[in-house]
């Protein structure tokens, strides 16, 4: 009996130890599995290069802003209270005693308050945008047109931005909205829209004249019979101009963000214009609907890396002095004078797809595969010829497969790999190695 009891106790003891050992082994296996899952190697041929961004000392930057503000306020005080003088070197000064002290033969030029009172805020806002975005490699001109009641602003000539007085008055107390408006018109210049539009218009005009000379009076009947060639070109031209407006809307967001302005105020301009109604009717051929533009801007704001843009803009503002202001040769507009040395970095616009790809790649490096996949898919929709979004979507799905063993991810990885391989833009063998299609295909089998 004693032996039986002893045997039972021994068996229970062994059983407990065995269960304990199994439990420990299970824990070890689970730990190993967790380590393996967290140590899954992501493929990355490093063909996407993120720009480096280093924030400057904030105390020094704030002091620089205070110094800049003194320069701005000097112009404001002079324009508001005294007769303003601008000499040939762009130095601004004022004299309470006005003309008597300087005399009629003075080297200074008298500038009346009626001319200067509307330009202070445009000067300040444009200066910040120009310097923050490395656009100070050339002169910029700004004109407030008081001759028309039309609510409008436009870019023309050589770096000239014209804002009609009715629009200028509407946003004079909203510097952030004004920054987007100025940035929009400046974008037409830096994106090269002006010469392209002029060239396209000239082609349409010449075609129109040629048809008239060839067909004479029958030319007037053409619209009743079919759409003349010049009308087709005109419609294509209008479509391109509307695309230009969309591009300028988007680029202006980056310009104002770098200058430290709040992009959420960008829609204030379009919302105000939408309330007028007549404006949209007059510009429906050359501009998208206001509601469409507002929706697109909100969509682009969500994609912007505001913090990074501000870091870059702060560095530029810190390194560059406030631009001098001169009166232009037409005696009506102002010129912000470039003193930047040639050979400096010129402004290089970033396409919407590039912005999305950079943001998607940042998420990929942080292992946020869901967000990365969404952004890369958006980039692919913008330009389906670019193989890079396809390439990284194959990597993301392969990574998810290794982590979950869900074959749906493997199928997606293979699909995106094939697309990337078809759209490759470099050497076949190099891209083939990067894609590693054969290994994915083997896993799929």
């Amino acid at each position: 009996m004693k032996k039986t009891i002893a045997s039972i106790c021994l068996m229970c003891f062994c059983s407990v130890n065995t269960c304990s050992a199994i439990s420990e082994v299970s824990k070890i296996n689970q730990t190993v599995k967790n380590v393996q899952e967290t140590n899954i190697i992501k493929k990355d041929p490093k063909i996407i290069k993120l720009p480096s961004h280093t924030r400057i000392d904030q105390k020094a930057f704030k002091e620089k802003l205070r110094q800049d503000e003194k320069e701005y306020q000097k112009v404001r005080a002079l324009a508001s209270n005294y007769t303003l003088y601008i000499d040939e070197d762009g130095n601004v000064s004022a004299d309470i005693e006005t003309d008597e002290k300087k005399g009629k033969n003075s080297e200074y030029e008298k500038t009346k308050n009626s001319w200067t009172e509307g330009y202070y805020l445009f000067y300040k806002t444009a200066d910040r945008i120009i310097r923050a975005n490395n656009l100070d490699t050339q002169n910029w001109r700004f004109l407030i047109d008081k001759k028309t009641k039309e609510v409008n602003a436009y870019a023309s000539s050589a770096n000239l931005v014209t804002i009609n007085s009715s629009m200028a008055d509407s946003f004079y107390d909203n510097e952030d909205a004004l920054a987007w408006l100025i940035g929009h018109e400046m974008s037409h210049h830096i994106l090269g829209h002006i010469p392209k539009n002029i060239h396209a218009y000239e082609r349409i005009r010449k075609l129109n004249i040629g048809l008239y000379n060839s067909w004479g009076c029958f030319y007037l009947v053409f619209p009743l019979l079919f759409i003349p060639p010049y009308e087709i070109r005109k419609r294509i031209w209008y479509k391109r101009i509307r695309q230009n407006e969309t591009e300028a809307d988007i680029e202006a967001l980056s310009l104002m963000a770098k200058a430290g302005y709040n992009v959420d105020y960008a829609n204030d301009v379009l919302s105000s214009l939408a309330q007028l109604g007549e404006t949209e009717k007059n510009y429906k051929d050359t501009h998208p609907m206001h509601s469409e533009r507002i929706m697109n801007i909100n969509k682009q704001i969500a994609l912007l890396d505001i913090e990074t843009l501000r870091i870059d803009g702060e560095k530029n503002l810190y390194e560059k002095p406030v631009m001098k202001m001169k009166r232009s040769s037409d005696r009506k507009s102002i010129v912000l004078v470039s003193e930047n040395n040639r050979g400096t970095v010129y402004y290089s616009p970033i396409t919407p797809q590039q912005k999305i790809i950079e943001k998607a790649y940042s998420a990929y490096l942080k292992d946020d595969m869901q967000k990365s996949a969404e952004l890369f898919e958006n980039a692919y929709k913008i330009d389906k010829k670019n193989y890079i979004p396809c390439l990284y979507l194959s990597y993301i799905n392969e990574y998810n497969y290794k982590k979950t063993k869900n074959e749906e991810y493997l199928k997606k990885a293979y699909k995106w790999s094939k697309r990337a391989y078809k759209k490759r833009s470099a050497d076949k063998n190099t891209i083939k190695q990067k894609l590693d299609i054969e290994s994915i295909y083997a896993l799929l089998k």
Side-chain angles (χ1 to χ4, degrees):
M1 183 68 178
K2 288 181 179 181
K3 287 182 178 180
T4 304
I5 293 171
S7 298
I8 293 170
C9 289
L10 182 61
M11 289 174 65
C12 290
F13 177 76
C14 291
S15 177
V16 170
N17 279 306
T18 302
C19 290
S20 178
I22 292 171
S23 177
E24 287 298 319
V25 170
S26 178
K27 287 181 181 179
I28 292 170
N29 288 337
Q30 185 62 39
T31 303
V32 170
K33 184 179 179 182
N34 291 339
V35 170
Q36 287 175 342
E37 287 185 354
T38 54
N39 289 335
I40 295 173
I41 298 174
K42 293 179 299 193
K43 289 183 177 179
D44 188 3
K46 303 193 183 299
I47 54 177
I48 301 174
K49 294 182 179 179
L50 296 176
S52 58
H53 309 279
T54 305
R55 185 180 288 277
I56 63 173
D57 181 70
Q58 288 300 290
K59 187 176 179 181
F61 176 65
K62 288 178 181 178
E63 178 58 32
K64 177 61 165 58
L65 288 183
R66 280 193 287 271
Q67 296 302 319
D68 289 352
E69 190 61 32
K70 287 181 181 179
E71 296 297 318
Y72 297 142
Q73 290 300 329
K74 185 190 296 183
V75 174
R76 184 178 193 179
L78 295 171
S80 302
N81 301 318
Y82 311 119
T83 301
L84 181 65
Y85 295 89
I86 307 175
D87 68 17
E88 293 178 354
D89 295 324
N91 298 314
V92 183
S93 61
D95 193 336
I96 298 175
E97 297 179 23
T98 63
D99 303 343
E100 283 77 13
K101 187 173 181 180
K102 295 296 179 183
K104 292 182 179 180
N105 297 323
S106 168
E107 62 178 325
Y108 291 90
E109 179 181 359
K110 180 180 176 182
T111 308
K112 294 182 179 179
N113 289 355
S114 60
W115 177 78
T116 58
E117 61 187 358
Y119 279 101
Y120 158 69
L121 190 57
F122 290 91
Y123 162 65
K124 175 184 175 181
T125 308
D127 173 74
R128 285 182 62 88
I129 292 174
I130 292 168
R131 290 189 295 128
N133 290 277
N134 283 326
L135 294 171
D136 57 336
T137 54
Q138 51 193 324
N139 294 350
W140 287 87
R141 297 187 295 156
F142 296 89
L143 170 66
I144 298 177
D145 187 355
K146 298 181 180 180
K147 293 182 179 179
T148 177
K149 295 181 180 179
E150 188 180 52
V151 182
N152 193 19
Y154 54 91
S156 62
S157 187
N159 286 357
L160 174 63
V161 172
T162 301
I163 301 176
N164 295 348
S165 57
S166 54
M167 180 167 276
D169 293 340
S170 299
F171 303 105
Y172 195 81
D173 59 346
N174 188 342
E175 192 172 340
D176 293 279
L178 187 63
W180 181 83
L181 177 61
I182 292 175
H184 173 93
E185 301 306 335
M186 291 179 71
S187 294
H188 284 308
H189 286 294
I190 61 180
L191 296 175
H193 293 162
I194 310 302
K196 290 178 184 177
N197 288 345
I198 293 173
H199 178 67
Y201 175 78
E202 280 301 309
R203 289 181 67 184
I204 294 169
R205 188 182 67 83
K206 288 178 181 178
L207 181 62
N208 194 2
I209 293 172
L211 285 171
Y212 184 80
N213 292 336
S214 301
W215 293 88
C217 63
F218 292 102
Y219 171 79
L220 301 174
V221 185
F222 281 1
L224 302 176
L225 304 176
F226 62 90
I227 301 176
Y230 79 90
E231 184 66 26
I232 295 173
R233 283 199 179 183
K234 187 170 73 173
R235 292 181 186 182
I236 295 172
W237 181 54
Y238 280 155
K239 183 179 178 181
R240 181 56 201 165
I241 289 178
R242 289 194 294 271
Q243 290 175 351
N244 290 347
E245 292 301 321
T246 301
E247 290 174 6
D249 285 351
I250 296 170
E251 198 62 37
L253 294 173
S254 295
L255 295 182
M256 68 184 294
K258 273 193 177 183
Y261 292 106
N262 189 340
V263 295
D264 292 332
Y265 285 88
N267 281 325
D268 283 18
V269 178
L270 295 173
S271 297
S272 298
L273 292 175
Q275 292 175 8
L276 297 175
E278 283 297 316
T279 306
E280 188 158 66
K281 188 185 296 183
N282 294 339
Y283 299 116
K284 64 180 180 179
D285 288 334
T286 56
H287 291 68
M289 299 288 285
H290 294 317
S291 56
E292 182 184 337
R293 294 174 73 181
I294 290 171
M295 183 174 64
N296 186 53
I297 283 176
N298 290 333
K299 183 180 177 181
Q300 293 300 322
I301 288 174
L303 296 172
L304 281 178
D305 188 348
I306 303 293
E307 187 62 22
T308 299
L309 289 170
R310 283 183 178 168
I311 289 172
D312 293 344
E314 287 176 2
K315 183 176 182 294
N316 292 333
L317 287 170
Y318 181 75
E319 294 175 349
K320 301 172 185 290
V322 171
M323 297 180 75
K324 290 184 178 180
M325 181 183 77
K326 286 187 177 182
R327 201 171 179 184
S328 72
S329 57
D330 63 13
R331 323 315 294 160
K332 297 176 182 178
S333 58
I334 59 172
V335 181
L336 271 64
V337 183
S338 169
E339 294 185 350
N340 198 348
N341 294 327
R342 295 296 181 259
T344 54
V345 178
Y346 288 83
Y347 184 81
S348 179
I350 301 175
T351 65
Q353 192 193 42
Q354 284 177 295
K355 294 176 185 176
I356 297 173
I357 286 176
E358 286 183 4
K359 205 165 185 177
Y361 184 55
S362 296
Y364 183 76
L365 295 177
K366 296 174 184 175
D367 291 344
D368 189 349
M369 296 303 174
Q370 183 177 351
K371 182 179 179 181
S372 182
E374 290 174 1
L375 291 169
F376 274 124
E377 285 179 8
N378 287 336
Y380 174 72
K381 289 175 184 177
I382 294 174
D383 181 9
K384 294 186 178 181
K385 294 180 180 179
N386 190 345
Y387 76 92
I388 291 177
C390 303
L391 179 63
Y392 276 88
L393 283 166
S394 74
Y395 293 161
I396 290 168
N397 283 285
E398 187 178 352
Y399 175 90
N400 288 336
Y401 168 73
K402 289 177 180 177
K403 196 169 183 179
T404 65
K405 300 304 178 185
N406 185 339
E407 289 199 359
E408 287 301 314
Y409 287 121
L410 193 59
K411 291 176 182 178
K412 289 180 181 178
Y414 183 61
K415 178 189 75 174
W416 286 112
S417 293
K418 287 205 309 184
R419 286 184 182 178
Y421 187 62
K422 288 179 181 178
K423 302 173 191 302
R424 66 199 182 283
S425 58
D427 179 69
K428 282 187 179 182
N429 295 326
T430 306
I431 295 299
K432 196 173 182 180
Q433 289 171 9
K434 289 175 183 176
L435 295 176
D436 200 11
I437 294 176
E438 285 78 6
S439 64
I440 296 176
Y441 183 74
L443 288 171
L444 186 63
K445 289 293 185 179

